[in-house]
Amino acid sequence: MAQGRTVLVTGGTSGIGLAIAETFARAGDNLILLGSNPDRDYSKAVQTVEAAGRDAGHDVRVCAHGVDITNFAAVKALMKAISDKVGLLDVLVHSAGVFFSTPITDETPDAFDKVMTINVNGMWHVVQAALPFIRRKAGDQPGGKIVAISSISGFFGFAGFAGYAASKAAVTSLVRTLALELGPLGININAVEPGRVKTSMHDALINDPAQAETLKAVAEANPSKRSFSSPEDIAAVVQFLASPGAVALHGSAIVVDEGTSLGLV
């Protein structure tokens, strides 16, 4: 991966993560995509990202691996293997995570543990394991960038999202605290806080006729007059946070939610 930066995106084989990977490919960066299943074939995602780069005139290199991010030993071994092959990482984007909507009266301890383990422990595993292989600042050479995808649910209460909201609050807190540790190394770490994003996780909501009026009301209340952001909207902010223009941002949490949190609709 000699040309462009080397960018690793967890959750990069689908949804927001895939859109993020495509955005970096269009800028000429080389991508490493991480999916959640070591046994799955991610060639389609690789081809999609390669095509995005090619359409923008770049011959980018893309590879994909599957790993269970709750297994620290597996994550650590994979990060070492990746570094042995491609060298230092310029950008790490942590987009992997799960989303559950369950009232606390119905949520089981196992379900709560699962969302916390994947969303919080998983992020810690990825950052801790990747850190030795993220570029440090050296003279005029800038250091690496880390961007975590969190959620406005970590800031604001939404009934039925106790486990998910708690996990995302923890993600944002990790980012803010790690910024104090990683900044002196020349590494910027920041978070993006999406609201509703039009991905497969929201298909049931989008396709439910009973929710049509609710979504219409959300759109009318939002300053943008849209009920959902697109994955590309999130990707654009991630790309900025990974750019030299964001060198002064440490521990920031940028809300991208169509203005929903202004009125909490």
Side-chain angles (χ1 to χ4, degrees), residues 69-70 113 115-126 174:
I69 63 172
T70 69
D113 287 345
V115 72
M116 294 296 289
T117 300
I118 294 174
N119 290 358
V120 184
N121 296 39
M123 176 188 166
W124 188 92
H125 292 164
V126 168
L174 270 174

Side-chain angles (χ1 to χ4, degrees), residues 32-231:
I32 302 157
L33 315 178
L34 295 193
S36 61
N37 189 336
D39 299 320
R40 188 170 299 165
D41 179 4
Y42 293 112
S43 58
K44 185 177 179 181
V46 169
Q47 292 165 7
T48 297
V49 177
E50 287 176 337
R54 190 164 52 248
D55 290 346
H58 302 292
D59 184 18
V60 299
R61 299 183 183 181
V62 185
C63 63
H65 304 271
V67 66
D68 175 2
I69 63 172
T70 69
N71 183 336
F72 181 56
V75 174
K76 197 168 183 177
L78 179 58
M79 292 298 179
K80 176 64 166 60
I82 288 171
S83 180
D84 287 345
K85 186 174 182 179
V86 305
L88 294 177
L89 299 174
D90 297 294
V91 181
L92 167 63
V93 181
H94 181 62
S95 182
V98 293
F99 171 84
F100 294 117
S101 171
T102 310
I104 193 169
T105 50
D106 301 326
E107 190 169 31
T108 66
D110 286 346
F112 184 86
D113 287 345
K114 180 178 180 179
V115 72
M116 294 296 289
T117 300
I118 294 174
N119 290 358
V120 184
N121 296 39
M123 176 188 166
W124 188 92
H125 292 164
V126 168
V127 174
Q128 210 275 357
L131 190 56
F133 313 113
I134 296 175
R135 189 178 303 281
R136 270 50 169 179
K137 182 178 181 181
D140 294 333
Q141 177 72 30
K145 310 287 187 182
I146 302 175
V147 183
I149 304 301
S150 190
S151 169
I152 63 169
S153 295
F155 291 143
F156 305 102
F158 294 91
F161 292 88
Y164 179 73
S167 74
K168 289 303 186 179
V171 166
T172 302
S173 182
L174 270 174
V175 167
R176 293 174 64 84
T177 301
L178 290 176
L180 298 173
E181 298 185 34
L182 303 186
L185 302 177
I187 298 172
N188 298 77
I189 179 169
N190 295 286
V192 179
E193 313 282 340
R196 299 176 182 88
V197 182
K198 197 171 185 178
T199 66
S200 59
M201 285 199 302
H202 282 109
D203 280 350
L205 174 63
I206 294 168
N207 298 324
D208 184 355
Q211 298 296 325
E213 288 301 315
T214 299
L215 293 180
K216 182 180 178 181
V218 168
E220 290 175 350
N222 284 343
S224 68
K225 303 306 176 186
R226 300 197 305 176
S227 54
F228 287 88
S229 302
S230 71

